Amino acid sequence: MNMFSRFMKDESGATAIEYGLIAAIVAVGIIAALQKVSGSLQSTFNSVSNSLDGQ
C-alpha cells in the first residue's frame, strides 16, 4: 500500500506531459501560420525568379 501511495503522489511524469502538450500546441500554431504565409511567399519568389529570367 505504501508503494501505491508514493506512486499516486509522484508528479514527475505530469510535468513532462505538460511540456509535450505545450510543444505540440506551438508546433500546430507554427504550421498554421506557415500555411497562411506560404501563398504570398511563393508568389514573391516566383516574381523574383521571373525578374531574374528576364535579364
Side-chain angles (χ1 to χ4, degrees), residues 26 29-30 55:
V26 168
I30 290 172
Q55 291 182 359

Side-chain angles (χ1 to χ4, degrees), residues 9 14-17 22 24 26 32 34-35 41-42 45 47 51 54-55:
K9 291 180 183 178
T15 303
I17 291 172
I22 290 169
V26 168
L34 288 176
Q35 285 180 343
L41 189 59
Q42 185 175 8
F45 280 125
S47 175
S51 295
Q55 291 182 359

